[in-house]
Amino acid sequence: MIPQTQRYQPSLEDVSALAKRRGFVFQSSEIYGGAGGVWDYGPLGTELKRNVKQAWWHEIVETRDDVVPFDAAILMNPQTWVASGHAATFHDKMVDCRVCKHRFRADHLPSLEKCPDCGSKGSLTEPRDFNLMLKTFLGPAEDTASQAWLRPETAQGIFVNFKNVAQAARRKPPFGIAQIGKAFRNEITPGNFTFRTREFEQAELEFFIPPDGTDDQWYRRWVEVRMAWYRRYLVEDRVRFRELAKEELAHYAKGLTDVEYHFPWGWGELESIANRGTYDLTAHIKESGKDLSFFDEANKAKYVPIVVEASAGVDRTALALLIDAYDKQRYVDQTGKEAERVVLRFHRQIAPVKVAVFALARNKPELVERARSIEHDLRRVMRTQYDEGNIGQLYRRQDEVGTPWCVTIDYQTLDDGSVTLRDRDSMEQTRLAADQVKAMLLERLAG
Ligand code: ATP
């Protein structure tokens, strides 16, 4: 667990400026003025997001024998969304200001009396339902028969395939199906950078449980597993787990815990873990007329499994990790002068680049060649970056993207084969034999 710290609290502008400057996140199709609520990930952002997904996948799929992986298509038969309730009820209430023309989500407004942007009194329209699903068409005819939706969550792809997967993977409840994939919501007011977007990725687990009274235990167990995961990567006092009171739950839900992060604008949801009862499978059984119940050979009995769901947002988690890692530190440099650096204190598993390898001088072919060969060797086992030139600048550049280690090759390397290993957080530099670097870094990465 990362202890409570006095770590610098960046503004959203600090983080979005760094994200753009260093190639974590760009506005989608920026040269055309962008697309509202849609973002692209640059080279470092792509690595960051991949590491978030890998950390989730490792915990939920790779290290367990009771969860199997899945990858459903984004497009589904539209009946899916009728059964799940999304076609009829996946609405947010929307209000418009007649004066400044801005649009708001009614539940985000403190009152409907005046516009929060232009301040006009009585200018807001009555709240109207707005379906958040994005429409598209399958095939060449744009009529209602071919209309489809871009999925607003990945979960339904798992539910409709429950029986296929249980049979093919020869599983019986309790077992889970996990997937990571894109979801789309036509949010009324996207914003707060990548927190609320119209295209995003979800990491979802649906865990199927027999009706033997263990569902609450499983729900609590999954909350624990997810808590431990978030606590490994985020500062302790910036993440909280909020269990909703029974009155706050949907009628079918038996328990729900939201994982929230303290963003610069306040607490925001990263994940929701819920005991959903038999609601989802029952809805699909009704709508499709297909029997999705499970036949328990041992007891010769059929049942509809209870589902515990853990539904996380990959982009929101990546944003939380970026904000969480952002630190500003004053220190005394090697010449004795006071200096300041921005350093992303990513957990080593999350850091986009694990090690940067530098040649101390640009114009010395022996140094460059040696550094390149060390970097090449490391590249086979971890993400690396090669650079050369002014060492102070090189360190600062790597600090700013959260690279945990730097290896510097200098003239002494040519004499005695030793290199300098520099640690991002302590800024400590140690001299060691070049041929020990790989084993040492691999050990630290695994630890
Ligand atoms: P919110 O209340 O913030 O709109 P939600 O409760 O509707 O979120 P869920 O349907 O529970 O969200 O979705 C599960 C997870 O998917 C969320 O915890 C979040 O991390 C992610 N998510 C949902 N909507 C978005 C979005 N528009 N942009 C980015 N991530 C999202």
Side-chain angles (χ1 to χ4, degrees):
M1 191 189 299
I2 305 172
Q4 298 198 17
T5 68
Q6 297 303 312
R7 199 179 282 181
Y8 179 76
Q9 300 216 333
S11 66
L12 194 58
E13 291 67 42
D14 287 335
V15 174
S16 57
L18 182 138
K20 170 148 198 214
R21 189 169 71 249
R22 301 310 310 274
F24 281 91
V25 179
F26 304 114
Q27 202 181 10
S28 158
S29 38
E30 191 182 22
I31 59 166
Y32 293 107
V38 192
W39 299 89
D40 294 337
Y41 286 82
L44 290 170
T46 304
E47 296 285 3
L48 169 64
K49 227 172 108 170
R50 256 170 53 89
N51 292 343
V52 173
K53 289 188 273 188
Q54 178 50 31
W56 187 89
W57 197 251
H58 185 69
E59 180 87 10
I60 303 293
V61 181
E62 288 172 352
T63 56
R64 300 189 65 105
D65 61 4
D66 58 357
V67 177
V68 294
F70 199 63
D71 188 10
I74 288 168
L75 297 167
M76 301 181 72
N77 186 304
Q79 284 301 106
T80 308
W81 308 110
V82 175
S84 68
H86 286 81
T89 61
F90 195 51
H91 293 130
D92 275 338
K93 296 268 183 214
M94 167 178 87
V95 295
D96 289 301
C97 173
R98 294 188 191 91
V99 176
C100 71
K101 308 289 177 216
H102 287 175
R103 179 161 279 185
F104 308 94
R105 243 173 82 169
D107 62 333
H108 285 175
L109 294 179
S111 101
L112 291 174
E113 273 162 28
K114 68 173 191 180
C115 171
D117 278 5
C118 71
S120 307
K121 282 207 175 124
S123 66
L124 297 176
T125 59
E126 282 298 305
R128 281 170 295 149
D129 279 342
F130 177 76
N131 194 303
L132 298 179
M133 284 202 294
L134 278 144
K135 252 185 224 160
T136 187
F137 295 90
L138 286 182
E142 290 200 6
D143 56 28
T144 49
S146 60
Q147 193 208 289
W149 311 92
L150 300 185
R151 68 180 176 198
E153 59 175 36
T154 61
Q156 300 303 326
I158 295 179
F159 294 135
V160 300
N161 276 288
F162 163 71
K163 204 143 191 183
N164 283 341
V165 176
Q167 277 168 359
R170 294 190 296 119
R171 297 292 170 142
K172 60 185 244 184
F175 84 99
I177 306 178
Q179 80 169 322
I180 297 177
K182 290 270 190 179
F184 301 81
R185 296 184 188 180
N186 202 6
E187 297 280 357
I188 297 170
T189 45
N192 286 332
F193 198 28
T194 54
F195 179 81
R196 186 174 302 287
T197 57
R198 293 189 170 126
E199 173 175 343
F200 54 97
E201 257 179 302
Q202 288 186 316
E204 292 197 298
L205 165 74
E206 307 301 329
F207 199 79
F208 301 90
I209 302 154
D212 57 3
T214 57
D215 56 306
D216 190 56
Q217 279 166 37
W218 275 110
Y219 160 67
R220 300 211 171 268
R221 215 175 289 171
W222 277 111
V223 170
E224 291 290 323
V225 170
R226 299 303 297 143
M227 275 184 180
W229 191 88
Y230 284 102
R231 287 191 169 136
R232 193 175 313 145
Y233 302 114
L234 294 167
V235 170
E236 189 185 343
D237 55 341
R238 294 186 185 171
V239 58
R240 74 178 183 193
F241 303 87
R242 204 165 61 84
E243 179 149 31
L244 269 65
K246 288 267 176 290
E247 314 79 76
E248 292 179 81
L249 302 179
H251 65 94
Y252 50 81
K254 291 207 240 158
L256 192 146
T257 298
D258 277 342
V259 182
E260 296 181 336
Y261 183 76
H262 196 259
F263 286 97
W265 62 89
W267 292 98
E269 180 186 314
L270 298 180
E271 170 164 353
S272 189
I273 305 153
N275 181 344
R276 299 179 57 88
T278 57
Y279 177 79
D280 306 280
L281 287 178
T282 306
H284 286 299
I285 291 168
K286 248 192 221 153
E287 186 69 30
S288 67
K290 299 286 181 330
D291 184 9
L292 297 178
S293 59
F294 186 82
F295 183 71
D296 182 5
E297 285 290 345
N299 299 318
K300 302 280 178 238
K302 225 163 71 159
Y303 63 83
V304 178
I306 296 165
V307 168
V308 167
E309 172 182 86
S311 172
V314 175
D315 309 76
R316 281 191 189 176
T317 304
L319 178 62
L321 287 163
L322 198 56
I323 292 169
D324 205 67
Y326 194 109
D327 200 9
K328 240 183 208 176
Q329 184 188 13
R330 296 200 71 76
Y331 66 100
V332 178
D333 74 9
Q334 283 175 329
T335 65
K337 275 210 290 266
E338 274 245 324
E340 189 178 74
R341 64 172 184 156
V342 167
V343 51
L344 294 188
R345 298 191 191 274
F346 284 129
H347 186 283
R348 59 194 180 281
Q349 285 165 1
I350 298 298
V353 177
K354 309 301 179 196
V355 59
V357 179
F358 306 140
L360 196 58
R362 250 191 205 109
N363 48 4
K364 293 282 176 242
E366 319 93 276
L367 277 190
V368 169
E369 201 179 303
R370 190 66 197 275
R372 284 229 178 249
S373 114
I374 291 175
E375 187 265 336
H376 205 264
D377 183 41
L378 289 170
R379 196 194 302 167
R380 299 197 337 249
V381 290
M382 66 189 77
R383 294 301 291 156
T384 60
Q385 232 172 45
Y386 171 80
D387 214 336
E388 52 195 35
N390 176 312
I391 197 69
Q393 260 174 25
L394 294 176
Y395 284 154
R396 276 198 298 281
R397 216 176 280 159
Q398 293 300 327
D399 285 345
E400 214 188 31
V401 299
T403 305
W405 300 288
C406 295
V407 172
T408 302
I409 282 74
D410 57 16
Y411 294 105
Q412 200 183 326
T413 314
L414 302 180
D415 280 347
D416 64 8
S418 70
V419 296
T420 302
L421 179 70
R422 189 253 195 187
D423 181 273
R424 176 195 70 197
D425 292 333
S426 66
M427 296 197 277
E428 244 169 48
Q429 302 187 18
T430 40
R431 199 87 205 170
L432 77 165
D435 56 12
Q436 288 174 7
V437 169
K438 187 154 102 183
M440 173 184 274
L441 292 185
L442 281 175
E443 198 181 299
R444 290 192 187 175
L445 272 175

